[in-house]
């Protein structure tokens, strides 16, 4: 597979850590001359590469990778956009459970346009809009060559930034609403980290299904505006953590029933608040730990309140389910995005400004919209 | 139902908190004279009563309760033995989620012999050995009158102390091995608090089924003897908490597979150790919190290790299942006890020494065997 060829080329770059970009370019032209027999070659690819794990702003650099052969089952995709997700950062840091082999290209999801296809490829043509589905490593580059099975053709009218980001966050929200309890219209859920993209998707997907949603945000300047924004998305209730420092949080619920399902992407006190809201027999699903604090649970919550604590990891779900189901759900989510029923804030950034976008994604400038690299700007 | 009559009598005793026992006896004889029309009366009952919630050694006292009528569907049982369980203590303290209405008689399980039956009772005769099943309040007394449906006739050869204690602890162990994962021969479980009666039952029930069991005990003087004792019961591995202060606890397992199910009755560090042993996708069931410390779990345990945390409460299980299933399992457990395949240490104490037994059960003399009141000694 061509991607293996490029990955071998990347491995060949390993000794280049301390050499100049010019040396790398020289090496690339040598590689190219070796491959001159090939009839169908990709363009060279400008890629965000890291050759060792570590702080992403130190270990990544943008280099040009040589053309690779587009074999008979391969599709060459010109990437249009790809986000910088927290899990991308963790992968570069080497703290993610699935540790990409270095050297590697960053990124995990994104959207592109078919540039050329191998002779045996069916169902995809140049100009088609595609995403890697399930997502796979190495989306932070201008051209990707991978087997046709990797690519899912999506509706050409899909908004670019949503197509680039539809899997990691919105699909997590959708699956978590499905996989743990059976929710029916009029039921309720509770979540912390409600301003995260998954949080915003949960609000909107719950609202479409007539499910009440109770949201917890952290105390911050401007929290009234944040509440207003989430309510405009479809939030029923939004509380700051400090508002919930009361004996009986359920007294704040008015006519909303006790939630049977809760979502936690923060940990620490914010997780305890989710547990407080849950009714007897309820389930809390942890999918993130932004506070870097663990989840602490009383014995009586387990025994007498019969709470269940679970976890969700999209990458595991995708590895156990058929790719088909994943793609059907992606299409559904992109339909919602196209109809304006699923939205969240993003910032499209030209590829040339990658390091500024990375700094924002690393939180160096406080809370920022999701950074999405636009390879065409 | 006669039990309601006695409970009304108990309520009448409420104002007597500060009067002498003689006054109470006087009041009882007045009650008796009002009921003189009844043809089938129970004997008077000597009972451990509390009239308010609080420290059991302060709020309980032994008094004589007046005879009550044995109505047509009632069975009068002469109690033979009843244990002092931690949950009995919590009920008296008023910290148990199901708070008995005071005044109340202590105790929740026990065994007795049918003394007399109402005219419509079928399938029970004087001399039968019976237990309240599911258990119910008020077993710490010499005579109990309750509807025939309360009583389950057991094998007359059942060892008295096991018949008295078979429900709360052994049935918890049996259910927890059944209700959370499907274990097959060769699988493994891990538990803390392995010296508790539930812990000892888990070891034996697991061993009968060919399930490896890994046990964690606290560090204490004589822990080598404790290990030896548990191994004689059927424990595969026994570790003290300090032995598990290593980076990779699973390296200690030798040929035993990673456990898929864990049990926690301690909380704090001992719960974290159970979690460390569990394999990916494993479940930890909390059924107690002896350390009074909460359970603390890392975010990655939920997301990447896919652990589930659940709770078990026998009282809830019994309230949702048919009494029939409960009784079939009780018979099975008593068969095992009779065959010597299920055993745990107990101390039979004459009723006259109740307050000494209570002190032991309250932990005033350190670790002690389960205290079982023998009403016939």
């Amino acid at each position: 597979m061509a991607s293996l060829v490029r990955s071998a080329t990347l491995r060949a770059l390993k000794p280049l850590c301390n050499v100049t970009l010019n040396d790398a370019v020289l090496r690339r032209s040598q590689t190219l001359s070796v491959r001159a027999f090939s009839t169908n070659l990709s363009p060279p690819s400008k890629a965000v590469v890291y050759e060792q794990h570590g702080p992403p702003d130190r270990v990544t650099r943008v280099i040009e990778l040589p053309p690779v052969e587009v074999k008979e089952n391969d599709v060459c995709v010109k990437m249009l956009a790809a986000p910088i997700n927290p899990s991308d950062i963790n992968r570069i840091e080497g703290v993610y459970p699935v540790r990409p082999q270095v050297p590697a290209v960053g990124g995990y999801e994104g959207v592109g346009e078919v540039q050329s296809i191998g002779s045996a490829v069916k169902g995809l043509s140049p100009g088609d809009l595609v995403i890697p589905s399930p997502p796979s490593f190495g989306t932070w580059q201008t051209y990707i060559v991978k087997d046709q099975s990797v690519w899912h053709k999506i509706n050409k009218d899909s908004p670019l930034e949503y197509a680039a980001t539809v899997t990691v966050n919105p699909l997590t929200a959708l699956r978590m609403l499905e996989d743990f309890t059976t929710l029916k219209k009029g039921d309720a859920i509770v979540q912390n980290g409600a301003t995260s993209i998954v949080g915003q998707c949960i609000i909107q997907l719950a609202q479409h299904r007539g499910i009440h949603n109770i949201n917890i945000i952290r105390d911050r300047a401007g929290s009234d505006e944040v509440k207003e924004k989430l309510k405009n998305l479809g939030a029923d209730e939004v509380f700051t953590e400090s508002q919930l420092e009361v004996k009986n949080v359920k007294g704040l619920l008015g006519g909303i029933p006790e939630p049977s399902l809760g979502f936690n992407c923060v940990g620490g006190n914010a997780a305890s608040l989710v547990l407080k809201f849950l009714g007897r027999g309820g389930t809390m699903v942890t999918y993130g730990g932004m506070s870097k604090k663990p989840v602490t649970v009383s014995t009586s919550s387990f025994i007498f309140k019969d709470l269940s604590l679970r976890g969700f990891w999209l990458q595991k779900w995708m590895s156990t389910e058929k790719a088909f189901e994943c793609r059907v759900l992606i299409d559904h989510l992109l339909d919602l995005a196209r109809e304006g029923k699923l939205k969240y804030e993003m910032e499209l950034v030209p590829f040339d400004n990658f390091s500024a976008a990375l700094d924002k994604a690393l939180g160096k400038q406080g809370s920022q919209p999701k950074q999405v690299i636009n390879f065409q700007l």
Side-chain angles (χ1 to χ4, degrees), chain A residues 272-295:
Chain A
S272 303
L273 292 173
V274 168
L275 293 173
K276 269 192 186 178
F277 270 112
L278 286 178
R280 196 173 296 271
T283 298
M284 180 172 85
V285 181
T286 290
Y287 68 97
M290 289 195 286
S291 72
K292 298 195 189 294
K293 289 180 188 152
V295 173

Side-chain angles (χ1 to χ4, degrees), chain A residues 54-72:
Chain A
D57 50 354
R58 292 206 202 151
V59 299
T60 59
R61 55 182 186 140
V62 178
I63 64 168
E64 198 174 278
L65 295 174
V68 291
E69 189 186 349
V70 182
K71 292 194 175 155
E72 59 175 357

Side-chain angles (χ1 to χ4, degrees), chain A residues 152-185:
Chain A
H152 173 50
K153 180 177 166 179
I154 58 169
N155 189 312
K156 271 212 165 170
D157 299 331
S158 304
L160 199 69
E161 67 275 33
Y162 286 93
T165 59
V166 68
T167 310
V168 170
N169 291 299
L171 187 56
T172 293
L174 182 62
R175 287 282 14 132
M176 291 202 303
L177 282 166
E178 296 296 334
D179 288 355
F180 296 93
T181 57
T182 304
L183 292 169
K184 53 184 196 307
K185 199 174 167 173

Side-chain angles (χ1 to χ4, degrees), chain A residues 154-159 162-163 166 208 327-342:
Chain A
I154 58 169
N155 189 312
K156 271 212 165 170
D157 299 331
S158 304
Y162 286 93
V166 68
H208 300 158
R327 292 179 177 189
V328 169
L329 296 174
I330 291 295
D331 290 344
H332 167 68
L333 290 164
L334 285 175
D335 286 348
L336 291 176
R338 210 167 43 251
E339 295 161 14
K341 291 182 183 165
L342 185 69

Side-chain angles (χ1 to χ4, degrees), chain A residues 189-196 199 203 213-220 226-227 230 235 237-244 249 252-253 259 262-267 269-278 284 287 290:
Chain A
I189 60 105
V190 57
Q191 66 168 341
N192 61 30
T195 57
S196 70
I203 290 172
N213 58 86
I214 304 149
N215 300 278
I216 305 168
I217 60 174
R218 65 174 196 275
D219 292 273
R220 70 184 107 186
V226 173
K227 284 183 185 180
L230 295 182
E237 294 289 347
V238 188
F239 302 104
T240 59
E241 289 187 33
S242 64
Q243 278 185 288
L244 299 174
V249 296
L252 302 170
L253 284 185
F263 302 114
N264 163 48
C265 67
V266 182
N269 179 56
S272 303
L273 292 173
V274 168
L275 293 173
K276 269 192 186 178
F277 270 112
L278 286 178
M284 180 172 85
Y287 68 97
M290 289 195 286

